[in-house]
Amino acid sequence: MATKIAGIGPSPRLLFLCFLPLAVLIIGLAADQYVRQRAALLNDLAGKANEQHGLVSSSLEGAGPQLARLRLSMGLDLFKPEIGLAAILDTHNNVVSINGEMHDEDRVRLKQHIASLDATDFGLTDTPGLNFERRNDFRVLTRRFGITGYKLVYLVPNEELRIFLLPRFAPFLFILAGLVATVFGIFYFLHRTYIVPSLRLARYISDHASGSQAIPPALPSIWRKQFSVVSNAFASSRRYQAQLEESEARFLAATASLRDGFAIIGPDGKLAFFNEALTWHLSEEQREKLFVGRDVRDFVDSIWAGSNGVDIERQLDNGRWVAGRQSVMPDGGRVILLRDITDSKTAEMKLRDSEERYRNVVETQTELVVRYDGEGNPTFANEAYCRYLGVTLEEMLDRSRSDFELVVPEDRERHRAYIASLTPGHPSETIVIRCRTLKNDAIHWEEWTDTGIFDADGNLVEIQAIGRDVTEKREAQEALSISEARMSAFLNYAPVAMLAKDLDGHFTMANPEALKRLKKTADEVIGKKTLDLLPPEEAEAMDRSIARVLATGTMQLEEQHHPSLDPFLYSLFIRFPLRAHTGEITGAGVFVVDQTREKLAELELDQQRGALHQSEKLAALGSLLAGVAHELNNPLSIVVGYAGMLNEMATDEATKRRTRELHSAAERCGRIVKTFLSMARSKPIEKRSVDMDTVIDDVLELAAYGLRSNGVTVVRKRADKLPATLADPDQMHQVFMNIVLNAQQAMMGIDGARTLDVESRFEGEQIAIDLRDSGHGIPEDIRKRVFEPFFTTKPQGVGTGIGLSVCLRIVQAHGGTIFLDNADSGGTICRIRLPVTAVGLRPDAGLEEATFRLSGKLLVVDDEPAIGRYVSEYLTVEGVEVTAVSSGREAQTLLRKGTAFDAVLTDLRMPDVSGDKLMAFIAAKRPDLADRVVIMTGDALGPEINTNSSDVPVIVKPLELSALRSALRPMLDKNERLAADEEDAAEDQRENV
């Protein structure tokens, strides 16, 4: 099979076949060496990365986020890997820092690794031990920095690894070349005997070394026995190597996953192995001395000496606590275990401090702190409780009696029920009981808060009790209760209203009297403001007064009128500030004293004073008017009389018309004078048959000038004929006059047409009178009060406020109604309704007065001679013999002489002898004429006539001829005298019989 090369030696094919086994052997050895060199390099790189990782990790303890990033970057800068790329990633796998030259391919590899971390979850554990992870065409080592979330990623591309290792294999290449040259010299001799079998054997060994399954080669018989031994040795070595690697991997993974520090020290005292966590439990100085192969006996023995199997606690420079334990191995080596006990140590110290503080607090408490067993025997007590009982702690704990026996007998049953109420579900309760003390056997009120402590079965095993002496508090509460009860009685039965308000204006207290006046319940008042209870204007006035009290801090008295609180209209308000014990104002108090009765009495008194004053003025005016009326009525009587006589004597129509107008004007003057008199004089109500239209017309006639001068047009509307009714014409005249004058004044302030509509009509059983003006109308609040005495909207000095109230009383006295309202067309309308009262008719009603003639002798007495002449001329024509005198004294002279007269017509007011004196004289001297006297007067409303007869006829000046004839008819009518004489004779005859 072999051939020679260039005719010398074996052929190229033979040489190739001879060289091939040797080449395979050399390549296999080279490959094996490459693998070992690569593994050693990777272990060295991983060791350096782990060392740098440990140093950086220790620098991160206690550092904040910014400082941690800075230390990570600085630590990475100190890491100088011979090949590859190192990077720091944050919790989101963002690159924080990079060390080493980074090519585009490295960026791709780094991104691929980060993507793989995203895909496999961020919680992935670190790369175990010193092994790199293979990722496609690169190797990676990952280390986390504790709980910070940062990771160290070390990438080594396979290509750079090969480039780095190839120069180390140059000697192998030279050896290979020398061997090739040597083979060329001796190969021909050896290839049949040794080379070919060797090549086969080398291939077989190489396959075994690489871990692949290989078929044993055909070898010379002399090699077979040795080959079997070698083959078995290779197989055993390979198996042991795999087991060893697997065991080492498990060991490294286990130690790396430990949070406790772990280290192995050889018999020579040198550090053989330690995990990363060991560095976390050492001080900075100790970490600097820590590396594999260093003799660590100096500081290990100084710290953990004599701690074989026993934990020894040490505190590091940074304040952390570490517990260490060392165990000696059979070969003299030692195993060191360190664990962090900072949390448990801190908790232990806090517990110890807390217990100390609790003890100090309990001992310094003024409250009574004691712990009992289930029967009430004390097992612990603070100094305050011992001092309270008057015994020492030792004496109290040595007592054989239960503290529950200190409870007074009256409260023991309640106390036993109270202790029995403590359950695991509700272990704490509070009770106030009476107990005796040991030192003086005095009874005190005590308040105890007990907390039961129960075992697993729910049985009460102990009671933790905190108590205090509340005797003074209890007595103060009882005194306060008595005081509050007394104050409550004052509040409930006080005849004045009492209220309290806070600074926000809310009512906080109201006694029953206040609730009665407000017509509210307590729930409707407490928490409310004044505006919630009273109208806005009244609430504003009250709150304004409260604000002054709060601002000045002084008591204030004020009288106020509150219509909404009717019948409590007028009140005296006593307002004062409410203060806290510090003097700070916390609210305002109010006492309200009802003054309605006194105020109404005062108003009534003022009204009576006003009425008296008005009465006095009217009396003076009446006296004045009476004199004026008397002086006017005398000449008016002459005018009226002669006008009537001329009218009867006139033959032509023109004279009759003139005398009739003269007579009418004189009568009008007489009515005006009479009206003045009725207004000026107050007299008892005298009801008689009255035509209301006539009364209204008289009022309009009297007020006509004032209405015309103020531009008021009167529109009079009347029914065809109103029925007569019983009424006092003078009082009704006063009512209508008051309404008309008010209407006139209401229209004074308006521009445009001023109209007064006066309408009278008959409605069913009533006479309806409506007086409507065209003024501004009447507001609702004023309309409600217009009939109140002394209420007026007129300026001072213009109105008295009693006019409408008098009108109301007059109308009500006549059984009618009166009220004011706003008219539909504007202005104000006064509606008066009067009942129609039946009027009796005289028997001779309707008879013609002209059917009789007067005759006889008449004595006329009047200090106005013209009146005597007028009466004499008028009655002489009819056939009466008239004797006229100008004084009462002349009349007495004639009567004393016995001059015969059938009747006497005398004036009431005369200078010398008045009419009533003359009547008294006649009654005494001429009794035959006592019932034949007729009185004339110009003051119909003057004082009553002082006579013994109550039915003396009275005629009013100016004299009406018809009234004069009617008054004299019973005395001077011939037929009447004959009938009277016959009746007198019959009466005398009956008396004689």
Side-chain angles (χ1 to χ4, degrees), residues 92 112 128 186 195 204 230 234 281 355 400 419 430 491 500 590 604 624 690 705 754 808 853 985 990:
H92 300 288
Q112 290 176 350
I186 64 174
I195 293 178
Y204 177 78
V230 172
F234 269 106
H281 300 81
E355 290 177 348
S400 59
I419 294 299
T430 301
L491 292 176
V590 183
E604 182 67 23
L624 177 62
V690 175
Y705 175 75
R754 301 172 182 174
L808 177 63
R853 290 182 64 83
R990 282 195 298 271

Side-chain angles (χ1 to χ4, degrees), residues 10-149:
S11 65
R13 183 175 182 181
L14 179 61
L15 291 174
F16 175 77
L17 293 176
C18 293
F19 173 75
L20 183 60
L22 182 59
V24 170
L25 177 60
I26 294 174
I27 292 174
L29 293 174
D32 182 72
Q33 186 64 29
Y34 175 82
V35 171
R36 292 181 179 276
Q37 288 291 332
R38 183 182 62 189
L41 177 61
L42 290 177
N43 285 340
D44 182 61
L45 293 176
K48 292 180 179 179
N50 286 337
E51 180 179 359
Q52 191 64 26
H53 172 262
L55 294 175
V56 174
S57 296
S58 63
S59 68
L60 295 180
E61 293 181 0
Q66 297 296 330
L67 181 60
R69 293 172 66 96
L70 177 61
R71 291 183 176 177
L72 286 171
S73 298
M74 294 175 61
L76 188 62
D77 292 338
L78 298 175
F79 180 49
K80 303 295 183 180
E82 296 172 288
I83 60 173
L85 173 69
I88 301 294
L89 305 182
D90 62 11
T91 55
H92 300 288
N93 290 335
N94 297 317
V95 177
V96 176
S97 179
I98 295 177
N99 186 9
E101 184 177 358
M102 186 175 186
H103 303 287
D104 292 340
E105 297 82 356
D106 295 333
R107 294 181 184 274
V108 172
R109 296 186 183 100
L110 182 61
K111 290 181 180 180
Q112 290 176 350
H113 180 61
I114 294 174
S116 68
L117 291 179
D118 292 338
T120 59
D121 185 8
F122 295 146
L124 195 64
T125 57
D126 294 346
T127 305
L130 300 177
N131 293 335
F132 280 80
E133 251 184 301
R134 296 189 64 175
R135 296 291 181 94
N136 297 327
D137 60 345
F138 64 96
R139 298 173 183 272
V140 62
L141 179 69
T142 303
R143 289 289 183 267
R144 295 181 179 269
F145 293 96
I147 60 174
T148 63

